[in-house]
Amino acid sequence: MNVGILGLGLIGGSMARAYSQAGHRVFAADTDESILEFAQLSGVVQGVLSDETIGGCSLLLLAVYPAACVDFLRAHAPALARDALVVDLCGVKREVCEAAFPIAARYGFTFVGGHPMAGSHYSGYKYSRANLFHGTPMVLVPPVFDDIFLLQRCKDAFAPCGFGSFSVCTAEQHDARIAFTSQMPHILSNAFIKSPTARAHDGFSAGSYRDLTRVAWLNAPMWAELFLNNRENLLFELDTYIENLEKYRLALRCGDAGALTALLEEGKKRKEEVDG
């Protein structure tokens, strides 16, 4: 199978390694020519994704920022094979899917929104690895939800990645959930590390500090675009969090041990309920 991959960052690079390792031919494109050249010299990428090669790819993976993903699809849709499966790997789905579904319908190929639930606080091709997706969930946003053949086609196409599970939802459902499970933790971590006492943490954490601040180290331009694309959902989560923080601050300011204990017990109970 010929696989086209746009973007050789952590996600796209790991996809390239997984498909190449499984014996497929990978054609890739990246704005950084040195990364593309290195990927070719190391044998991970067999050719450049171009106007001449894109038509021969039965699977096209778009691993770039949402706006760039849509722009690329608009520019290259006429060159895609009619039987091609195109999947974006962006962190938000509504903006991409709203633009991509009509393009796919017009030119006859199949587009499915995708979001691999895998990653690292490190970014870039140098941190990519073939087993990044092993056992992790993959979220799919198809154009219709009763096409079991399309779902199986996606599962077969992603077999080299080794995903542990697949789930299907709408673009709106995806963006609402990801605001809580992914985007909010990045904001909280990034804001938390700005405390003036942060530099004096060495030797004073059993792991909670490390766990909380791990994703403060992020790709700022990418996350800023994702946050703004999903700002309504993210603002809801952020406002809810601030409202809850105010309750903890009030209890502390008033020295109210009963209220503070109740808040902590409530959070513990909610964690037990959420995790089952």
Side-chain angles (χ1 to χ4, degrees):
M1 176 171 65
N2 288 344
V3 181
I5 300 178
L6 177 66
L8 289 174
L10 176 67
I11 299 299
S14 296
M15 287 282 179
R17 293 180 186 278
Y19 282 98
S20 180
Q21 191 176 90
H24 301 287
R25 287 176 55 81
V26 176
F27 297 85
D30 194 274
T31 55
D32 189 332
E33 290 294 332
S34 65
I35 294 297
L36 180 58
E37 182 178 357
F38 179 79
Q40 289 181 276
L41 289 173
S42 62
V44 173
V45 171
Q46 284 71 53
V48 177
L49 183 66
S50 64
D51 292 336
E52 290 71 35
T53 60
I54 195 171
C57 295
S58 54
L59 176 64
L60 177 62
L61 304 174
L62 306 177
V64 292
Y65 298 178
C69 173
V70 173
D71 289 344
F72 181 88
L73 202 54
R74 283 174 175 156
H76 295 87
L80 291 173
R82 299 299 82 115
D83 60 348
L85 173 63
V86 180
V87 184
D88 85 283
L89 305 174
C90 300
V92 292
K93 295 271 75 75
R94 186 171 59 181
E95 177 183 339
V96 177
C97 289
E98 284 180 353
F101 286 149
I103 296 173
R106 176 181 177 185
Y107 290 98
F109 60 87
T110 301
F111 177 85
V112 175
H115 190 178
M117 296 289 101
S120 167
H121 54 291
Y122 297 111
S123 61
Y125 182 77
K126 65 183 292 186
Y127 296 106
S128 64
R129 61 183 193 273
N131 64 351
L132 179 67
F133 310 106
H134 284 190
T136 64
M138 176 62 165
V139 179
L140 299 174
V141 179
V144 294
F145 289 87
D146 57 354
D147 190 340
I148 59 173
F149 297 104
L150 177 56
L151 177 58
Q152 188 59 51
R153 182 184 178 187
C154 290
K155 289 182 177 180
D156 293 342
F158 281 112
C161 301
F163 286 109
S165 64
F166 290 83
S167 59
V168 176
C169 67
T170 66
E172 291 75 18
Q173 288 171 334
H174 170 276
D175 288 359
R177 294 173 186 175
I178 216 68
F180 175 75
T181 62
S182 177
Q183 294 181 346
M184 268 295 287
H186 281 79
I187 286 183
L188 302 183
S189 178
N190 197 264
F192 179 80
I193 198 64
K194 295 175 182 177
S195 168
T197 58
R199 294 185 183 276
H201 77 277
D202 283 353
F204 288 83
S205 172
S208 55
Y209 165 83
R210 181 189 64 246
D211 294 341
L212 181 58
T213 59
R214 180 180 64 84
V215 293
W217 191 342
L218 44 68
N219 181 337
M222 180 191 76
W223 283 102
E225 181 173 335
L226 294 176
F227 291 162
L228 289 173
N229 284 338
N230 200 26
R231 58 183 174 271
E232 292 181 5
N233 290 316
L234 192 51
L235 280 171
F236 168 78
E237 296 296 346
L238 191 56
D239 290 342
T240 300
Y241 188 74
I242 291 173
E243 181 181 332
N244 281 311
L245 283 181
E246 290 286 355
K247 296 176 182 178
Y248 289 87
R249 184 168 71 171
L250 180 61
L252 284 167
R253 179 170 290 168
C254 296
D256 191 336
L260 185 58
T261 300
L263 287 169
L264 295 172
E265 289 289 356
E266 181 185 10
K268 177 184 175 183
K269 182 179 179 181
R270 182 63 61 86
K271 171 65 174 175
E272 292 173 347
E273 293 172 350
V274 169
D275 290 353

